[in-house]
Amino acid sequence: MKALNTLYMEHFESGPRLGPGRRVVFLSGGDSAKREVGALFSEFGFAVIDLGDLHTGGLMQQVGGPLAGLQLFQID
């Protein structure tokens, strides 16, 4: 299970909302773990995006990957 690997701690500490948008959190891993963790992050107010299995999604989230360090928001 990989989650929150794309966020800098200062952005995470700012909370899930900025204006009309919800901060995006990417998840990758097994389906049951993603459901549970995704439900928690949704409940906290984050927008959750499933990147698939740990290998595929994990590569996109790790340092040097295309999503690392991006600060994205979903506008409600």
Side-chain angles (χ1 to χ4, degrees):
M1 174 85 225
K2 216 173 212 194
L4 302 177
N5 288 68
T6 61
L7 293 179
Y8 292 116
M9 185 52 66
E10 64 192 44
H11 297 155
F12 181 73
E13 290 174 343
S14 296
R17 298 199 72 85
L18 181 65
R22 293 185 301 143
R23 193 177 304 279
V24 171
V25 173
F26 296 103
L27 305 178
S28 55
D31 289 336
S32 63
K34 288 186 296 187
R35 273 192 300 277
E36 289 183 40
V37 172
L40 282 174
F41 284 126
S42 291
E43 187 176 314
F44 296 151
F46 291 91
V48 177
I49 297 179
D50 182 344
L51 296 176
D53 64 50
L54 188 56
H55 176 74
T56 305
L59 290 174
M60 289 191 282
Q61 293 183 64
Q62 73 184 19
V63 174
L67 300 175
L70 288 180
Q71 187 174 194
L72 302 174
F73 293 86
Q74 177 181 326
I75 304 299
D76 293 330

